[in-house]
Amino acid sequence: YRQGPRWLPDDNVNDIAVSSDGTVWFATSGGVGCNRRVDFTLAKKAAFYEDEIERYIKRTPFGYVAEAALRVPGDRSTADPQDSDNDGLWTAMYGAGECFAYAATGDQKAKERARKAFEALRFLQKVTQGGTHSPPKGFVARTIRSAELPNPNTGRLEADREQQKHDSLWKVYEPRWPLSEDRQWYWKSDTSSDELDGHYFFYPLYYDFCADTESEKERVREVVRDLTDHLLEHGLVLVDHDGRPTRWAIYAPEYLNRDPRWYPERGLNSLSILSYLTVAAHVTGDSKYTDAAKKLIDEHGYHQNAMYPKVQFGPGSGNQSDDEMAFMCYYNLLRYAKDENLKAQIRFSLFSYWANEAPEMNPLFNFICAAHCAGQSHANPFGRFPLTPWEGWLDDAMRTLRGFPLDRINWPHQNSHRLDIVRLRPPQSIDPYDIDRRLRGYRTNGKVLPVENRHFNHWNTDPWTLDYRGNGNELASGTVFLLPYYMGLYHGFIEKP
């Protein structure tokens, strides 16, 4: 299915001609266009995205990776990358991909990209300290922007008050963007659990694969130790410069287990903090982090909370943006935990989560599940339950990787009128967190639309959405391809070039 500016000059097609080499020519009201097949390996696609990220996406001297606005729609040369709420998360996922790339291929360029990602993430911790509005040691910023740019605090207080009308837990305070001690950078506060999931996903991979000197390993230990000690010293919440917890980085039992307002986050945030503490124990070698995790398990049932990390009513339901967070935490917890009983339980939780996500054909989720569940089973009173992802998981993952268009510009896509679409019905069609009325559905084979018929910047986007807005004014990063591709290489799911 080819529709929209990504594929055609215009959707009004007057005639089609197919040449002997398979090239398809379209005579449209907007001019003549063609689609043709070109031999292109996954490795070549990865190199294309890497080059595009370097040329157009990376922002500030530290090289934060998110997306870039285009001053002229469709023209990459006019790329103007801006800060985003989740620069730490997106840069961490990009950096994690580079760690897997180096581990799988030994490519020194990948190692250098991973090193730069580490420095960027490390700076998000260091920039918050020493200024007029300085949070406790270890706090990490969401992002930074140059102090030479307009003050981002202007108008923020009014926006926060408006947000609080819809979210009673939303914080209203000033400044949301403090100045760094050297007054060179604004840094964004109120850091979320999304950010921490990304930081903790990246650090152990960089520590294991890329930090090959003792001094470099100690730099990683310092960052992980300071962040994790901050959480432990403040009752398992991330405390901002105003002395209060941030809106989303809440992991304490008194919130998750005893405050009904936090029930929807109970499972995911329990999974997250167990993952963080496990990573800290691995990187630093300090048993106090293992002891802290054990206390959460023995006294507060966090391992039981983690069995149900997503409030959902079947495929397509629930908060889609939490999925990538959960899978990153699963990966680390199962990779680094020493308690085999805990791992057996969390492995079953991962498989159960993946079974709900399987129709999404997500290569990142499929590879994480296969890396930890393939060949495994779970003991129960009636025998053993197989945890190997069912047949088709690799085909689905590869189909998505192969289908990713080289064009990562946000062109619009219309699919809701298609005859091969089945609409999602309640309750799957309603997000229990954010009730909306978007057109959502899937193909008659039970799976979401192919990736070439959609546009999304990150894996937090709802893949059941049918129609996508866009006007060509933004270039997205290729991280959504690079991370699962390199992870697939590392785990042997993809043949090395």
Side-chain angles (χ1 to χ4, degrees):
Y1 178 61
R2 298 291 180 257
Q3 173 272 329
R6 173 179 284 165
W7 302 110
L8 300 172
D10 190 89
D11 283 346
N12 185 24
V13 178
N14 300 307
D15 203 357
I16 299 174
V18 183
S19 60
S20 58
D21 65 357
T23 299
V24 183
W25 296 87
F26 300 90
T28 78
S29 298
V32 176
C34 76
N35 284 188
R36 67 176 181 270
R37 199 173 280 276
V38 178
D39 288 338
F40 217 83
T41 64
L42 294 179
K44 189 175 179 181
K45 184 182 286 190
F48 177 90
Y49 290 141
E50 295 280 18
D51 178 68
E52 197 164 67
I53 289 170
E54 293 291 338
R55 295 173 64 188
Y56 306 121
I57 299 288
K58 287 189 173 180
R59 185 183 65 84
T60 81
F62 294 96
Y64 295 101
V65 176
E67 46 272 325
L70 300 180
R71 291 188 293 270
V72 177
D75 186 350
R76 290 168 176 78
S77 68
T78 66
D80 184 22
Q82 304 292 323
D83 57 83
S84 81
D85 259 9
N86 298 118
D87 276 5
L89 171 60
W90 310 139
T91 302
M93 295 181 77
Y94 167 77
E98 299 305 318
C99 291
F100 283 120
Y102 179 65
T105 68
D107 184 354
Q108 291 296 320
K109 291 182 180 178
K111 183 180 181 181
E112 178 61 17
R113 295 186 191 111
R115 186 194 65 78
K116 290 181 178 179
F118 171 74
E119 294 300 329
L121 294 170
R122 180 178 182 271
F123 188 71
L124 291 180
Q125 187 180 88
K126 301 303 180 183
V127 74
T128 65
Q129 301 300 296
T132 304
H133 300 90
S134 183
K137 182 180 179 180
F139 186 94
V140 294
R142 283 180 175 269
T143 186
I144 60 169
R145 59 181 285 162
S146 171
E148 296 179 0
L149 296 172
N151 188 337
N153 293 297
T154 304
R156 279 291 321 191
L157 200 58
E158 294 77 8
D160 282 346
R161 288 176 178 145
E162 188 63 28
Q163 178 71 21
Q164 197 177 61
K165 294 178 182 178
H166 310 286
D167 178 357
S168 62
L169 297 179
W170 188 260
K171 294 171 58 176
V172 177
Y173 68 107
E174 287 281 16
R176 189 165 288 267
W177 288 82
L179 267 174
S180 61
E181 184 179 24
D182 62 8
R183 307 187 69 80
Q184 298 298 307
W185 301 100
Y186 289 108
W187 60 268
K188 194 168 189 180
S189 57
D190 202 27
T191 303
S192 71
S193 52
D194 310 47
E195 301 303 291
L196 298 197
D197 287 340
H199 280 262
Y200 278 103
F201 181 59
F202 169 76
Y203 289 135
L205 297 173
Y206 183 76
Y207 182 85
D208 288 352
F209 299 152
C210 302
D212 49 12
T213 67
E214 180 56 29
S215 62
E216 185 68 3
K217 285 186 178 295
E218 181 54 35
R219 283 164 61 81
V220 184
R221 292 188 200 110
E222 177 193 30
V223 171
V224 173
R225 185 186 301 114
D226 287 351
L227 176 53
T228 314
D229 285 351
H230 174 113
L231 294 173
L232 290 178
E233 291 166 8
H234 295 90
L236 298 181
V237 297
L238 189 68
V239 173
D240 216 324
H241 69 79
D242 63 349
R244 295 181 293 161
T246 66
R247 169 62 180 89
W248 291 108
I250 302 291
Y251 310 98
E254 58 266 32
Y255 292 99
L256 301 186
N257 283 356
R258 291 184 281 279
D259 186 338
R261 295 175 299 177
W262 282 92
Y263 163 71
E265 315 304 325
R266 177 186 297 171
L268 179 58
N269 285 20
S270 295
L271 176 66
S272 292
I273 191 63
L274 292 178
S275 173
Y276 303 168
L277 293 169
T278 300
V279 165
H282 170 73
V283 170
T284 67
D286 194 330
S287 62
K288 75 176 181 181
Y289 303 115
T290 304
D291 294 342
K294 189 175 188 302
K295 182 176 181 179
L296 291 175
I297 291 169
D298 293 346
E299 298 182 16
H300 303 287
Y302 270 40
H303 59 318
Q304 294 297 109
N305 293 349
M307 294 301 291
Y308 191 66
K310 180 177 181 177
V311 179
Q312 50 87 11
F313 306 106
S317 67
N319 187 344
Q320 298 289 322
S321 69
D322 287 349
D323 297 338
E324 66 181 1
M325 299 163 61
F327 275 86
M328 289 189 294
C329 292
Y330 277 127
Y331 186 87
N332 278 351
L333 185 52
L334 287 168
R335 182 178 175 91
Y336 299 111
K338 305 298 184 184
D339 184 338
E340 291 300 325
N341 290 328
L342 174 64
K343 290 175 67 173
Q345 189 167 351
I346 296 300
R347 192 180 294 117
F348 184 81
S349 176
L350 168 57
F351 179 82
S352 299
Y353 201 123
W354 173 82
N356 193 54
E357 304 299 317
E360 297 180 4
M361 303 177 66
N362 187 312
L364 179 61
F365 299 172
N366 286 11
F367 290 159
I368 288 176
C369 183
H372 290 299
C373 294
Q376 300 289 329
S377 61
H378 182 72
N380 63 68
F382 306 100
R384 300 198 69 88
F385 182 85
L387 300 181
T388 298
W390 47 69
E391 185 177 357
W393 69 267
L394 183 56
D395 289 341
D396 284 348
M398 299 306 294
R399 174 67 182 80
T400 298
L401 290 176
R402 293 186 181 112
F404 262 113
L406 295 180
D407 187 346
R408 295 284 293 140
I409 294 175
N410 67 330
W411 300 118
H413 293 274
Q414 300 294 319
N415 297 284
S416 56
H417 63 289
R418 290 169 53 166
L419 298 180
D420 63 339
I421 295 299
V422 180
R423 293 287 178 85
L424 271 176
R425 302 299 180 188
Q428 286 94 337
S429 63
I430 297 176
D431 184 333
Y433 293 143
D434 180 21
I435 296 177
D436 59 36
R437 302 297 175 188
R438 287 172 296 162
L439 297 174
R440 304 174 74 237
Y442 54 94
R443 289 177 290 159
T444 53
N445 64 1
K447 300 176 182 180
V448 298
L449 292 165
V451 68
E452 58 265 33
N453 298 150
R454 300 183 276 133
H455 175 78
F456 53 94
N457 291 357
H458 310 285
W459 286 119
N460 68 336
T461 305
D462 178 6
W464 303 85
T465 299
L466 296 176
D467 297 336
Y468 295 78
R469 299 175 182 175
N471 58 7
N473 67 347
E474 185 176 75
L475 176 65
S477 162
T479 299
V480 285
F481 172 92
L482 295 173
L483 175 54
Y485 170 66
Y486 290 135
M487 178 185 282
L489 283 181
Y490 171 74
H491 283 286
F493 303 136
I494 301 174
E495 184 179 351
K496 293 181 181 179

